[in-house]
Amino acid sequence: MPTIAYTDPAGVQHEVDAPVGQTVADVALKAGVPGIIAECGGALSCASCHVYVDEQWQSVVGPAVSLEDDMLDGALAERVAGSRLSCQLKVTSELDGLSVVIPAEQM
């Protein structure tokens, strides 16, 4: 089972086993990782699951699709090169070891 490393807004790292097929947001919510709110439940109508994907993983997860890109423009936290909505990142075996940082601004 893949493992995802979440760094919460306080700087604490949470390593969580992530079932394939779930989203990075759902895994964080079920594990109680602080900072992922995901108010819309993955419907792309908020940006409260914004994460910063570690640079080495950006090419693996790929770029945001158009609607996600638009939502990131309105995110409370600063947008950076690795910004993604974690509800749009499906866990695959290729994401084993994925590292994301949760911005404090969405809390």
Side-chain angles (χ1 to χ4, degrees), residues 32-99:
V33 176
I36 298 290
I37 300 165
E39 289 177 339
C40 73
L44 274 174
S45 61
C46 75
S48 62
C49 67
H50 185 186
V51 295
Y52 301 135
V53 175
D54 186 89
E55 185 176 357
Q56 73 179 17
W57 289 96
Q58 291 174 21
S59 63
V60 179
V61 300
V65 296
S66 180
L67 187 54
E68 179 185 357
D69 190 56
D70 291 344
M71 289 304 305
L72 285 165
D73 283 341
L76 185 57
E78 176 185 4
R79 185 173 182 172
V80 299
S83 285
R84 290 295 307 269
L85 297 180
S86 59
C87 69
Q88 299 303 300
L89 299 174
K90 289 269 190 204
V91 176
T92 64
S93 58
E94 290 78 28
L95 294 187
D96 185 28
L98 175 67
S99 178

Side-chain angles (χ1 to χ4, degrees), residues 16-34:
V16 180
D17 289 334
V20 170
Q22 290 191 0
T23 67
V24 172
D26 285 340
V27 171
L29 288 170
K30 288 177 183 164
V33 176

